[in-house]
Amino acid sequence: MPETKFRSFRVDAVVLRHSDYGEADRLLTLYTRQLGKARAIAKGARKIASRKAGHIEPFTHVRLQLAKGRDTLIVTQADTVDAYLPLRDDLILTSQASYVLELLDRFTYEDETENSAIFRLLTDTLSRLASQLDPWLVIRYYEIRLLDHLGFRPQLFECANCGREVKPEDQFFSFSAGGVICPRCGQGLRHLHNVSVETLKYLRHFQRSSYAEASRARPSPEVQKEAESLMQGYFTYLLERELNTPGFLKKIRE
Ligand SMILES: [Zn+2]
């Protein structure tokens, strides 16, 4: 823990998921501003009268007081900052918010490292979904920015094979190379995906712009579909590769 000196400390957190623990307790998986991903036990949270229970549902942005137990963190106080209530009332929004949390959960491990940029991206994204902003845009923007923060920023401006600047024409995309492959290089390479010049334009725009600027984009349904399937393919590829990396498995087990 970074704050090893203190037995008790405060964190800002989003509850990613929870599971039953013992007779009456809950084990929370959190993404915190101060510690990155962390787990903590909420004692008695399953008792109906528990004052803490309402604060620690998934999707909730909470401020927690944590104490160090022998080998786990224990929640001693919980206050809700934002419950993002609309995300609970609408099944489609619930599934979109779940995707946002799950992506982060799968790509992070408990490394006890402060990451306020990811935390802010997470809470901003949940707020945008709860405010009924265009979910396609909210989620694509989140994906592109998350890739940046995780160290997987896709190369969208130069060919990932020859390094030449990408021209305004349809291109390929390589998951293993982590970026665009120009039509010339693409002829000799396998396992490539098509990316139209229009889709590429939006992905580049999101990579370089604030959300306010990105939100002016009006992509066609074809572009929306292509960008979504490209990003999902890339995340799936990265996840499988990471899961097969000995270092990553070691970090997860620790
Ligand atoms: Zn090339």
Side-chain angles (χ1 to χ4, degrees):
M1 317 283 143
E3 327 230 303
T4 330
K5 301 180 293 248
F6 307 108
R7 257 192 66 75
S8 175
F9 54 94
R10 286 178 88 75
V11 294
D12 298 297
V14 170
V15 182
L16 298 182
R17 58 193 158 90
H18 64 200
S19 53
D20 291 349
Y21 192 81
E23 290 289 305
D25 304 342
R26 278 225 162 97
L27 177 64
L28 310 180
T29 302
L30 307 165
Y31 196 87
T32 71
R33 187 196 302 277
Q34 294 85 349
L35 303 170
K37 187 148 105 181
R39 292 200 290 178
I41 292 174
K43 293 207 176 269
R46 279 153 65 204
K47 292 184 188 140
I48 290 162
S50 168
R51 282 185 298 118
K52 278 180 287 198
H55 299 293
I56 53 170
E57 292 296 315
F59 313 140
T60 318
H61 179 182
V62 282
R63 194 156 291 138
L64 300 175
Q65 186 77 26
L66 298 177
K68 277 153 93 79
R70 209 159 9 141
D71 40 29
T72 52
L73 295 170
I74 294 167
V75 178
T76 56
Q77 197 188 323
D79 298 297
T80 302
V81 177
D82 197 333
Y84 306 115
L85 287 176
L87 302 183
R88 288 153 217 280
D89 300 338
D90 178 317
L91 272 182
I92 294 171
L93 282 179
T94 303
S95 73
Q96 285 157 342
S98 302
Y99 171 74
V100 165
L101 299 189
E102 191 181 334
L103 210 51
L104 184 60
D105 192 14
R106 287 183 177 220
F107 277 93
T108 51
Y109 45 87
E110 292 166 61
D111 61 355
E112 294 170 12
T113 305
E114 175 172 347
N115 198 321
S116 49
I118 290 185
F119 185 79
R120 175 138 185 240
L121 177 66
L122 175 61
T123 52
D124 283 350
T125 301
L126 293 174
S127 296
R128 286 167 194 150
L129 287 175
S131 312
Q132 319 272 342
L133 299 180
D134 173 13
W136 179 87
L137 181 83
V138 171
I139 290 176
R140 298 292 89 71
Y141 189 80
Y142 170 73
E143 288 172 333
I144 285 274
R145 288 312 171 108
L146 187 63
L147 286 171
D148 257 17
H149 295 309
L150 295 171
F152 297 118
R153 181 187 177 91
Q155 194 172 328
L156 302 178
F157 293 86
E158 290 94 31
C159 170
N161 190 59
C162 69
R164 287 199 183 88
E165 195 182 335
V166 165
K167 299 206 178 80
E169 56 187 332
D170 291 351
Q171 308 284 334
F172 297 105
F173 191 95
S174 162
F175 296 155
S176 57
V180 169
I181 300 287
C182 73
R184 194 170 7 168
C185 293
Q187 285 171 13
L189 297 169
R190 295 175 60 200
H191 306 302
L192 297 179
H193 305 266
N194 294 313
V195 57
S196 68
V197 62
E198 273 294 291
T199 297
L200 184 58
K201 188 179 90 183
Y202 285 105
L203 295 178
R204 288 167 149 199
H205 180 45
F206 298 165
Q207 197 177 56
R208 293 192 295 189
S209 309
S210 66
Y211 182 80
E213 290 164 331
S215 68
R216 289 197 281 271
R218 294 287 175 272
S220 68
E222 293 74 36
V223 164
Q224 294 198 15
K225 216 170 134 207
E226 190 181 53
E228 179 170 348
S229 88
L230 192 70
M231 284 297 104
Q232 304 223 321
Y234 190 39
F235 274 106
T236 303
Y237 169 84
L238 290 173
L239 194 63
E240 282 166 6
R241 194 185 68 182
E242 288 301 293
L243 289 176
N244 289 318
T245 304
F248 188 78
L249 288 177
K250 192 167 157 280
K251 285 171 191 162
I252 294 227
R253 285 202 197 100
E254 274 167 0

